[in-house]
Amino acid sequence: APFRSQEKKKKESIFDLSKYIDKPIRVKFQGGREASGVLKGFDPLLNLVLDGTIEYMRDPDDQYKLTEDTRQLGLVVCRGTAVVLICPQDGMEAIPNPFIQQQDG
Amino acid sequence: MWLSCEQFLPSKLWSLQKLVDKCIGSRIHIVMKNDKEIVGTLLGFDDFVNMVLEDVTEFEITPEGRRITKLDQILLNGNNITMLIPGGEGPEV
């Protein structure tokens, strides 16, 4: 059957993080915090252990804007309940805003 | 000075349980979802990662690193915890 059966009791993850072990990843959290580090461990609840972690600090005036500022945190446990996004460190980049309409002047 | 992986727990696959267990009795730095951070000595935690800490210092990061020191013990609600940093000393003030 192509779909997962509802009778299956065992909790399975839809994504296997073990392919990212020992690789640098970027993590975003509820509340706007962002960090990256080398993935050293995880559990089914998405709690993560990151090594050599750096946190990207946000603009105090605009909570959603990142600054150049970072801080070193080292060995860190990230709570799965707060994680909203995980991607490989080289898996994203900033681009110019594709939604800006050019005004005719 | 922050801890590195190898010196803290020389095991293959890490988990929250193992790492935080190792930290019981030592200093830990907790980063909340908002701009609050807590540093204290870890006495224990539960399945929801509510934490009992003592000799606690509370930091508010936004208003130029204001510090509020509390002694004795606190129960920290795990609902808003984002990161746990074993052996951490807290933010630069």
Side-chain angles (χ1 to χ4, degrees):
Chain A
F3 299 110
R4 288 182 188 276
S5 161
Q6 290 299 320
E7 290 97 45
K8 239 186 214 176
K9 294 286 183 188
K10 187 173 164 228
K11 182 157 177 112
E12 284 177 31
S13 187
I14 57 170
F15 189 84
D16 185 16
L17 278 179
S18 57
K19 60 191 232 185
Y20 288 131
I21 287 281
D22 288 327
K23 305 239 178 354
I25 57 167
R26 181 122 180 174
V27 186
K28 297 198 193 202
F29 301 101
Q30 280 179 351
R33 290 191 189 267
E34 295 190 39
S36 65
V38 176
L39 183 65
K40 284 296 183 181
F42 61 94
D43 66 13
L45 301 172
L46 220 54
N47 296 313
L48 310 172
V49 178
L50 296 184
D51 198 10
T53 310
I54 57 174
E55 180 181 3
Y56 302 94
M57 308 305 290
R58 292 153 295 151
D59 196 325
D61 300 316
D62 179 359
Q63 288 287 323
Y64 298 104
K65 190 168 136 203
L66 286 184
T67 65
E68 298 292 310
D69 241 359
T70 63
R71 61 169 174 166
Q72 297 281 355
L73 297 177
L75 184 62
V76 162
V77 176
C78 302
R79 281 294 277 132
T81 51
V83 171
V84 298
L85 178 146
I86 299 174
C87 71
Q89 175 70 352
D90 58 1
M92 55 181 260
E93 62 177 36
I95 59 171
N97 191 334
F99 301 109
I100 290 175
Q101 305 280 352
Q102 296 294 340
Q103 300 290 339
D104 289 328
Chain B
M1 192 58 206
W2 44 270
L3 298 165
S4 82
C5 238
E6 284 73 34
Q7 70 187 121
F8 201 69
L9 186 60
S11 119
K12 274 290 173 181
L13 193 71
W14 302 52
S15 72
L16 173 143
Q17 190 73 28
K18 275 191 246 170
L19 199 61
V20 183
D21 247 350
K22 255 272 177 174
C23 198
I24 290 184
S26 43
R27 296 299 277 173
I28 191 167
H29 170 198
I30 313 286
V31 175
M32 314 299 284
K33 287 181 188 176
N34 57 14
D35 289 311
K36 194 183 289 265
E37 306 187 13
I38 304 276
V39 177
T41 304
L42 179 61
L43 297 182
F45 67 102
D46 66 7
D47 284 344
F48 305 102
V49 198
N50 297 314
M51 309 187 87
V52 178
L53 303 161
E54 79 180 348
D55 199 10
V56 170
T57 307
E58 174 183 350
F59 296 85
E60 291 275 357
I61 298 307
T62 323
E64 303 303 325
R66 183 166 30 101
R67 196 185 322 197
I68 308 155
T69 308
K70 294 176 296 212
L71 295 167
D72 293 339
Q73 294 181 9
I74 68 163
L75 170 65
L76 182 64
N77 192 325
N79 247 323
N80 290 299
I81 292 177
T82 300
M83 291 187 272
L84 299 91
I85 307 165
E89 285 141 21
E92 312 260 314
V93 186

